[in-house]
Every structure is written in C-alpha cells, then in structure tokens.
Amino acid sequence: MGFMALKTPLCVFFPLVIQILGIESNIGVNYGMQADNLPPPNEVAKFLLDSTIINHIRLFDANPDTLQAFAHTGIAITVTIPNDLIPQFTNFTFAQEWIKTNISSHVHSTNIKRILVGNEVLATTNKLLITNLVPTMQTLYSALVEESLEHKVQISTPHSLGILSSSNPPSTGRFRPGYDDHILRPLLSFLRDIGSPFLVNPYPFFNIGSNDTNLNYALFRSNSGVFDEYTGMNYTNMFDAQLDAIFCAMKKIGYDDVDIVVAETGWPSQGDPDYIGIDPHSAATYNANVVRHVTSGVGTPLMPNRTFETYLFALFNEDLKFGPSYERHFGLFGPELIPVYDIGLLRPNMAFSGPPNSFICCFMIIVIMGWLFG
C-alpha cells in the first residue's frame, strides 16, 4: 500500500510516538488569563497533562493558585514579574522575600524553570523600568543564590523586535542606538555569565501589511524568498529572517554565543476584515509550520543545525484584552478546551504508567507503522 493510501493521517500518530519515546518537546504555550470565561487552572493543568503534548507553559504572573495547580505535573513553568513591579526588585530584601514566597515554597512540587522580569520592557520607553531592568535581574539572581536555586531556575526578560534599528536584510540587524551599549550589552553579558538565554517575541503577522507575497513568506508557503546580498543567503520565511536579524545584532556587539529562545510567536484566527490572512486556516498553517521548523534541527541560514525553545501565543482566546479584535483571537483553544484548529498538540487517549523499555518502544512503532502501511 502506498503512502497516499494511509488509513489515518500520520499527524494523529506523531504525538503518540513522542509519548512512547519520551522525547521532550521544545514547544511551549503562553497561558494568559485576560478573559472572563476560562476554566480554572487545575482543570487546565489536568487537560494539558492528560490530553496534549505541551510540556512548557509561560505564565504572565506568579499566582500561587496557578503554581499549585501545576504541582506534580512535571510541566515546566515560566513565571513573569509584571513591568510595574520591576523597580521594587532592586531592593535585595524585597527580592529575597518574593523568591521565598513565590519560588522556594513551590519549586519542590512545581517545575519552575524560569523567571522573566517584565515583558518587552524596552518597548515601554519608560526610563524608570528600563534603567532598573538589569539591576532587578541581578538582584533576583542573588536571591536565587541565597536559596541555592540558581542552577534550577533561570532569569531572563523577553523583547519585541522593536529593539532593532535595522533588520532587512537580516545581516544588517543591529540594536537601536542607546540600547546596545547602555542596556543590551550589560544584559547580554549578565545572561552569558549565568547561562540564561536571550528571549525574543517574533511575530511575522505584524509585518505582512496588505501584500499576498508577504503573506506566503510569513506563513512558510512557497515563495521566491528574500535574498541577503551581504551573506548570500536566501530566506524563504520571515521567521528565520527575524531570528537571524536578532542574531546579527547580538554578534555585532560580541554576544552571538548566548542562546536565543522564542518567548512568543503566533497568529490570530479571527479579526477585522481589513487585515489579510486572519482566519483559522492561516493561523493553523503558521503555528504548525513554526512547530515543525523549530523542532526540525534545520535552524536558520545563519544559525544552522539548531532547535529553538519556542512558546506559541497563546493557550486561550482572551476576550478581555484591549486593542484590535485580532488581539482577542490568538488562542489555540477555546474556554471549553476544544481546539480552535488542530496543529497536532493533542495526544491520543492512551495512558502509560511509566516510561516503556526499548523493546516495547520498538514493538509499538512496528505495530503502528504496520497498521498504517500494511
């Protein structure tokens, strides 16, 4: 029987193979809660654990009830300190008490992986927040050291691509004047010293304009690509171009050895009619292609043979968010925990009591492949 005669789409079995082999995914999801119709965190945690292959979650706060809901799930949690609290954390006593209350008291049962200081702080143009960003990160790290958690919990902060003054073609990527020397150089130096990644929020959706050619480029569809005459590289998707522009900016100031993590990326499934490419099919296309691409090991033209820890935005549609209507429709799931569209994040209804041995792994794969192609 040929490949085209599959009884069931292969994507249905891909999550099962991941579960059988115990392969840890680099894919996470942002769990925002600006909505009045969401299920409680304990239901969300159970759903993610039992029904999906999602094993990384980013929270936009450090709510203790949410952290408790994810206890004993093994799901890796990233918590966030809101922007408006940043200045308070330059006080070591305050930072130490926050770490004890929000991290130390949960970390033995909840898999807290990372603390993010604010979100897109440089984009706020708030001088108080910007000048306190690195000192806050340093103080929090010192508080983690006091609790002997510096090797378990990372510190970082995510950035919009607005930190770049130039990005097209990617090789011209550089940080905005004033940010590179005064903020980003000490920030990257600190991240290098503590072994934490540089986090960015690339959104090709915001750069497509009204051009169908740009839409194909943004969605990883067939297109002629964008040629970078300085490197001789041809880019066939905007996501790679955005990451390489960040990489070039980091390289120009000597920090291209710091890992890059995609803290947010996504595509809305609904919005105002004056935007092109806002529909469930386009959203599914983008997110599925991002997942495939960042986990493939192909990397980008300037960062080949790499995978990227990547967090899709977002877990839910959030009906209380401000701004254009598309801002409320980035969710992968509705409040009833039904997918808005399917990109292969759901697992089959099959439970295993523990990691199987290698013989069972091979046997199950043979059975599955025989059923598919036999």
Side-chain angles (χ1 to χ4, degrees):
M1 183 179 293
F3 180 79
M4 295 305 293
L6 288 176
K7 298 174 184 177
T8 306
L10 186 60
C11 64
V12 171
F13 291 94
F14 184 65
L16 176 59
V17 174
I18 289 178
Q19 183 182 5
I20 292 172
L21 296 179
I23 299 171
E24 182 179 356
S25 170
N26 282 326
I27 298 301
V29 178
N30 287 264
Y31 179 10
M33 301 182 192
Q34 294 186 49
D36 58 9
N37 58 356
L38 300 184
N42 62 314
E43 290 184 17
V44 174
K46 186 177 188 308
F47 168 73
L48 294 178
L49 184 65
D50 294 344
S51 304
T52 79
I53 62 170
I54 297 168
N55 59 10
H56 287 67
I57 287 290
R58 184 248 178 126
L59 305 175
F60 288 88
D61 56 22
N63 184 285
D65 293 334
T66 306
L67 293 177
Q68 183 58 40
F70 282 90
H72 309 295
T73 63
I75 295 172
I77 304 297
T78 293
V79 301
T80 305
I81 293 171
N83 287 357
D84 58 353
L85 294 183
I86 287 174
Q88 300 180 53
F89 281 86
T90 56
N91 181 295
F92 179 75
T93 301
F94 183 90
Q96 189 176 38
E97 287 303 313
W98 188 92
I99 289 292
K100 287 180 178 179
T101 301
N102 295 281
I103 306 299
S104 298
S105 62
H106 295 281
V107 76
H108 298 296
S109 57
T110 301
N111 182 17
I112 301 175
K113 175 178 184 174
R114 188 176 292 138
I115 301 169
L116 300 187
V117 179
N119 186 53
E120 300 186 349
V121 172
L122 301 187
T124 68
T125 69
N126 184 313
K127 291 183 179 180
L128 179 64
L129 299 183
I130 292 171
T131 57
N132 281 297
L133 178 59
V134 176
T136 287
M137 295 171 69
Q138 293 168 332
T139 304
L140 277 167
Y141 182 75
S142 296
L144 284 175
V145 171
E146 285 291 314
E147 294 290 299
S148 300
L149 293 175
E150 73 275 17
H151 299 299
K152 180 176 178 59
V153 182
Q154 293 182 333
I155 300 283
S156 194
T157 183
H159 305 278
S160 75
L161 295 198
I163 60 175
L164 298 177
S165 62
S166 175
S167 61
N168 190 26
S171 61
T172 66
R174 67 177 60 249
F175 294 126
R176 290 186 179 277
Y179 285 173
D180 50 0
D181 288 330
H182 301 298
I183 303 296
L184 292 171
R185 193 183 296 272
L187 171 60
L188 285 162
S189 177
F190 173 68
L191 293 177
R192 175 194 278 168
D193 289 344
I194 67 173
S196 287
F198 188 67
L199 272 63
V200 293
N201 298 342
Y203 279 96
F205 167 73
F206 292 117
N207 294 93
I208 58 175
S210 58
N211 190 316
D212 285 329
T213 301
N214 282 347
L215 180 62
N216 290 333
Y217 183 51
L219 291 175
F220 296 79
R221 290 175 179 163
S222 178
N223 64 92
S224 59
V226 174
F227 184 71
D228 188 333
E229 61 180 323
Y230 300 103
T231 61
M233 301 291 186
N234 193 58
Y235 288 82
T236 58
N237 68 83
M238 193 183 300
F239 181 83
D240 277 355
Q242 291 181 336
L243 286 189
D244 274 358
I246 288 288
F247 174 76
C248 287
M250 295 167 66
K251 186 174 183 178
K252 283 181 173 68
I253 61 173
Y255 292 96
D256 52 311
D257 58 334
V258 177
D259 283 341
I260 294 174
V261 165
V262 177
E264 292 181 28
T265 192
W267 200 281
S269 60
Q270 186 177 327
D272 297 326
D274 50 339
Y275 289 86
I276 67 168
I278 299 185
D279 55 79
H281 178 70
S282 294
T285 298
Y286 177 77
N287 284 322
N289 281 329
V290 162
V291 170
R292 173 193 56 78
H293 187 58
V294 300
T295 59
S296 68
V298 172
T300 70
L302 297 182
M303 294 180 285
N305 306 315
R306 288 175 63 167
T307 59
F308 295 92
E309 183 182 337
T310 299
Y311 291 75
L312 300 178
F313 189 89
L315 186 58
F316 293 113
N317 289 326
E318 298 176 70
D319 63 350
L320 298 182
K321 293 192 74 173
F322 295 105
S325 61
Y326 63 71
E327 289 283 0
R328 294 177 283 282
H329 295 92
F330 273 88
L332 298 170
F333 297 92
E336 66 290 333
L337 299 175
I338 296 175
V340 177
Y341 44 80
D342 183 17
I343 60 169
L345 295 178
L346 291 177
R347 69 169 77 238
N349 291 325
M350 184 178 294
F352 292 88
S353 58
N357 62 37
S358 58
F359 172 79
I360 295 176
C361 289
C362 295
F363 175 76
M364 288 298 294
I365 291 175
I366 291 170
V367 170
I368 291 170
M369 299 307 289
W371 193 89
L372 287 172
F373 300 106

